[in-house]
Amino acid sequence: MVEVGGEDEEFLQVIDSFQNAPLDKSKPLWDAWLITVRTEEKPKQYIFMRAHHCLGDGMAIGHALSTMCDHRPSLPSPPPSGPLGLRKLARLMLFWLWVGIGSIAVVLRWMYMSAFYPKVPSLFDGVKVGTERRTGHRRLFSLEECKAVRGKLKFQPTLNDVFLGLVSHAIDVYSEYQGHEVRRQSAVGLAMPVNVRRSPVSEDLGNSFGSWSIFLPLGYSSMVERIKDVHARTRTVKSIPEQYITNMLTFVCARLPLFASRFIVNSMCEMVKLTITNVRGADERMVFLGREAVSLFGYLPPPNGVGLGIGMCSYAGDVFVTLNCDPSLIGEPASFIDFMMDGWEALKQEASEAESNR
């Protein structure tokens, strides 16, 4: 149990100290802390929990968290199980045919990305990523608000597209804030974990995810054009089974000697400069010992050699963002999130103008 004087630098320093402290491997590979924040009104309390990735991915840990509630929140129902009929067999065969043929497209795409890797933005250039991390978190917007903005755009971006566009905008503005040049329509390597379970929820602990990667576009002056480019890139990668191929590679790597596994993983991460995840939380607020949890922040620990991990979590109708970053890359996480919020305000204005000009 920890007590701090307010939700300012002292509170963030406590979170950073938890993030940077290694787990005690002589004990179960998880821990939890109760943080009480003194305020002028009623004190606030935060539960900080962390677990080793070997116990589970974001979906699994989120499910485990829901089982600790007073009343388990409603989650999406898993698909019904039944005998393997002709229709199911046909769908299964078509799926594996798509994975088999698509694997060729995935390999060709990786070769293309390796051959035509864009010049690293100067913000990331020469950064030696260590093990120290700094963190930040905030509520971004409501799901209904985001849905309304997306509906004003002809190309109908997803929530992920909007979020990636805000990250792209923040990288541009933070680069300028730090005195770096922002080149027109440059890009940076991004990886995003993807759930590969049949069900949108996990009933068990463990890891079952793959990932897909894109070059996140930078250097746009218009938020709508920026997100339109993001949408085109994510739509392309979603048409091939990259998440299933990377999931299979992870399965193989776990059974190889350590030196071989590290070589493959490091090769896969060579082009990646940041990772972003999106975890769906409960649709209604969770209750612990009679007290509602009003916010939910899910921190993403970036892989070794990657200096920026950004987490997006939807919970009870709102979307929250977290940063877990190397201080040599992003020394002021709060400023980075401020720039994301500035991008959101600019997008709302541009979307309204685009709708009125139709």
Side-chain angles (χ1 to χ4, degrees), residues 230-248:
V230 170
H231 176 67
R233 297 180 189 221
T234 57
R235 186 175 56 183
T236 297
V237 74
K238 289 175 184 177
S239 67
I240 58 176
E242 184 167 334
Q243 67 268 37
Y244 296 102
I245 303 304
T246 52
N247 176 259
M248 294 175 192

Side-chain angles (χ1 to χ4, degrees), residues 94-151:
L94 285 173
F95 169 77
W96 284 110
L97 180 64
W98 172 64
V99 171
I101 296 175
S103 62
I104 300 173
V106 171
V107 172
L108 291 175
R109 182 173 178 271
W110 287 348
M111 293 173 63
Y112 174 84
M113 292 178 71
S114 298
F116 297 96
Y117 184 75
K119 184 175 176 59
V120 176
S122 56
L123 177 66
F124 295 85
D125 193 18
V127 173
K128 294 184 178 179
V129 177
T131 57
E132 183 185 354
R133 294 288 182 264
R134 286 187 185 167
T135 57
H137 58 261
R138 192 174 308 171
R139 176 190 177 275
L140 276 183
F141 44 66
S142 72
L143 288 170
E144 285 300 318
E145 192 178 11
C146 184
K147 183 179 179 180
V149 171
R150 288 161 49 205

Side-chain angles (χ1 to χ4, degrees), residues 72-98:
R72 186 173 175 183
S74 60
L75 295 170
S77 300
S81 58
L84 185 64
L86 289 177
R87 186 173 296 180
K88 284 187 177 180
L89 180 61
R91 285 201 300 263
L92 188 62
M93 291 176 64
L94 285 173
F95 169 77
W96 284 110
L97 180 64
W98 172 64

Side-chain angles (χ1 to χ4, degrees), residues 6-55:
E7 292 177 295
D8 49 16
E9 190 66 25
E10 181 185 358
F11 174 74
L12 293 175
Q13 287 176 357
V14 169
I15 298 296
D16 290 350
S17 68
F18 292 158
Q19 291 277 18
N20 290 313
L23 283 165
D24 186 347
K25 295 182 180 179
S26 66
K27 299 178 180 179
L29 296 178
W30 64 274
D31 57 23
W33 296 81
L34 179 64
I35 307 173
T36 300
V37 180
R38 298 188 302 272
T39 63
E40 293 181 357
E41 301 176 354
K42 189 176 181 180
K44 293 182 179 180
Q45 288 188 315
Y46 289 83
I47 301 174
F48 180 88
M49 301 179 65
R50 60 178 183 159
H52 197 286
H53 217 311
C54 68
L55 295 180

Side-chain angles (χ1 to χ4, degrees), residues 17-305:
S17 68
F18 292 158
Q19 291 277 18
N20 290 313
L23 283 165
D24 186 347
K25 295 182 180 179
S26 66
K27 299 178 180 179
L29 296 178
W30 64 274
D31 57 23
W33 296 81
L34 179 64
I35 307 173
T36 300
V37 180
R38 298 188 302 272
T39 63
E40 293 181 357
E41 301 176 354
K42 189 176 181 180
K44 293 182 179 180
Q45 288 188 315
Y46 289 83
I47 301 174
F48 180 88
M49 301 179 65
R50 60 178 183 159
H52 197 286
H53 217 311
C54 68
L55 295 180
D57 52 25
M59 295 291 291
I61 299 300
H63 166 72
L65 182 64
S66 72
T67 64
M68 303 177 191
C69 298
D70 295 359
H71 305 286
R72 186 173 175 183
S74 60
L75 295 170
S77 300
S81 58
L84 185 64
L86 289 177
R87 186 173 296 180
K88 284 187 177 180
L89 180 61
R91 285 201 300 263
L92 188 62
M93 291 176 64
L94 285 173
F95 169 77
W96 284 110
L97 180 64
W98 172 64
V99 171
I101 296 175
S103 62
I104 300 173
V106 171
V107 172
L108 291 175
R109 182 173 178 271
W110 287 348
M111 293 173 63
Y112 174 84
M113 292 178 71
S114 298
F116 297 96
Y117 184 75
K119 184 175 176 59
V120 176
S122 56
L123 177 66
F124 295 85
D125 193 18
V127 173
K128 294 184 178 179
V129 177
T131 57
E132 183 185 354
R133 294 288 182 264
R134 286 187 185 167
T135 57
H137 58 261
R138 192 174 308 171
R139 176 190 177 275
L140 276 183
F141 44 66
S142 72
L143 288 170
E144 285 300 318
E145 192 178 11
C146 184
K147 183 179 179 180
V149 171
R150 288 161 49 205
K152 296 177 182 179
L153 303 176
K154 285 185 177 181
F155 56 95
Q156 294 294 294
T158 65
L159 173 61
N160 274 342
D161 295 334
V162 172
F163 188 76
L164 294 180
L166 298 182
V167 171
S168 168
H169 172 81
I171 291 174
D172 280 348
V173 181
Y174 193 87
S175 295
E176 294 176 342
Y177 174 65
Q178 294 294 322
H180 295 280
E181 178 188 2
V182 177
R183 290 180 291 274
R184 169 70 176 166
Q185 295 186 5
S186 54
V188 62
L190 155 75
M192 191 166 193
V194 180
N195 177 39
V196 295
R197 297 175 176 86
R198 289 181 63 245
S199 169
V201 296
S202 172
E203 294 291 335
D204 302 296
L205 290 176
N207 292 276
S208 187
F209 69 94
S211 65
W212 50 250
S213 55
I214 64 169
F215 290 138
L216 183 67
L218 305 172
Y220 279 92
S221 58
S222 165
M223 283 300 300
V224 170
E225 291 303 314
R226 184 190 300 268
I227 293 175
K228 189 175 182 179
D229 192 351
V230 170
H231 176 67
R233 297 180 189 221
T234 57
R235 186 175 56 183
T236 297
V237 74
K238 289 175 184 177
S239 67
I240 58 176
E242 184 167 334
Q243 67 268 37
Y244 296 102
I245 303 304
T246 52
N247 176 259
M248 294 175 192
L249 283 174
T250 303
F251 179 85
V252 171
C253 285
R255 285 149 182 81
L256 292 175
L258 184 59
F259 75 91
S261 176
R262 282 179 174 172
F263 174 78
I264 294 175
V265 171
N266 290 338
S267 299
M268 292 171 64
C269 294
E270 189 174 352
M271 296 183 296
V272 175
K273 299 300 178 183
L274 70 152
T275 55
I276 297 179
T277 190
N278 174 10
V279 175
R280 177 181 176 180
D283 293 332
E284 66 268 15
R285 288 183 175 179
M286 295 183 288
V287 180
F288 299 90
L289 298 177
R291 301 185 65 179
E292 282 191 346
V294 297
S295 306
L296 182 64
F297 303 103
Y299 287 96
L300 170 66
N304 291 337

Side-chain angles (χ1 to χ4, degrees), residues 136-138 140 321 323 333-342:
H137 58 261
R138 192 174 308 171
L140 276 183
V321 62
L323 253 66
S335 297
F336 190 95
I337 297 176
D338 284 340
F339 299 145
M340 290 183 67
M341 295 299 300
D342 293 342

